[in-house]
Amino acid sequence: MAIEDVNTGQNPAITRAPPELRSASKYLNAVGGKYDPGSGFSKQAVLGIAVTKEMDFIELAALSEMLVCELIECSNPVARLALLGKLSATLERLHAVLLAPVPAHRLEQLSATSLPIEEPFCIGSDALMLTNYCQHLVRVLLTGILPPVDQQGLTGLTFDLLHHLGEVLRTPSFTRTAEGYRDRGGGIVEPGI
């Protein structure tokens, strides 16, 4: 029987990651903000990245992408549950962060001189809606009651939706004007902290 950490209830052998890999921010800065499955991160390292209140929506989306990339390749039931649990917690935090104002540094990063008049149609271009879809899929996968073929299908769907969500969140959505930042609808956007 594995020894559990009394503070987290998790097996430290699974969740312990080298200090240089514990920060999604450091990793994301190194790779330009998008997860690269060939980066050499292991399941253990990805599970060891802490979900903190300081993480913004770009970092949380990238961590979700990391987790689902590992999940889609995972055949070990225990590691799969650990990845799903971590993904569920990450999506809960992402949902909360999406309800908050956009941080000032992200407004700058996600601004362009002009935006397309019309967004191309896609299933779920609203980040909150996509996050909710993913949360529901992860909850179903966590139950473990589906046959393996259905689990594989829902894991693939979660993978696709999370990667689409990451692209939606990294796409410029604001323009800078003399009055400040404006969103796609023309409303003034006040930066968060």
Side-chain angles (χ1 to χ4, degrees):
M1 181 171 175
I3 299 171
E4 291 185 352
D5 183 310
V6 295
N7 296 317
T8 65
Q10 296 178 347
N11 181 341
I14 293 175
T15 59
R16 189 175 297 129
E20 66 274 10
L21 299 180
R22 288 189 187 143
S23 168
S25 301
K26 288 179 187 174
Y27 172 78
L28 295 172
N29 287 336
V31 296
K34 189 168 180 186
Y35 178 59
D36 174 16
S39 65
F41 263 55
S42 66
K43 275 188 275 301
Q44 290 79 12
V46 172
L47 284 167
I49 296 173
V51 177
T52 66
K53 64 180 181 179
E54 291 81 22
M55 294 175 84
D56 64 31
F57 59 91
I58 299 285
E59 294 167 329
L60 289 164
L63 178 56
S64 296
E65 288 178 277
M66 291 180 205
L67 289 163
V68 80
C69 281
E70 293 300 329
L71 182 64
I72 207 151
E73 298 294 326
C74 184
S75 59
N76 179 318
V78 174
R80 186 171 172 77
L81 278 176
L83 287 163
L84 283 166
K86 180 77 168 206
L87 182 55
S88 179
T90 304
L91 289 169
E92 284 293 323
R93 181 71 190 136
L94 177 58
H95 187 271
V97 168
L98 287 172
L99 294 172
V102 177
H105 72 285
R106 292 297 183 194
L107 268 177
E108 178 64 33
Q109 178 186 354
L110 298 172
S111 293
T113 54
S114 66
L115 299 174
I117 295 171
E118 218 177 276
E119 287 183 84
F121 174 78
C122 58
I123 295 173
S125 59
D126 176 73
L128 271 173
M129 180 177 62
L130 284 170
T131 302
N132 283 333
Y133 290 164
C134 292
Q135 284 176 302
H136 293 297
L137 287 169
V138 169
R139 285 183 196 130
V140 169
L141 289 167
L142 272 167
T143 66
I145 61 172
L146 297 173
V149 70
D150 293 337
Q151 286 184 23
Q152 184 179 11
L154 287 184
T155 301
L157 178 58
T158 306
F159 176 89
D160 290 342
L161 287 175
L162 280 172
H163 280 71
H164 179 61
L165 174 62
E167 291 300 319
V168 166
L169 291 174
R170 288 187 289 270
T171 300
S173 303
F174 309 101
T175 54
R176 183 186 289 155
T177 66
E179 298 85 29
Y181 294 101
R182 292 194 176 270
D183 60 19
R184 286 191 174 278
I188 298 285
V189 178
E190 294 295 326
I193 297 173

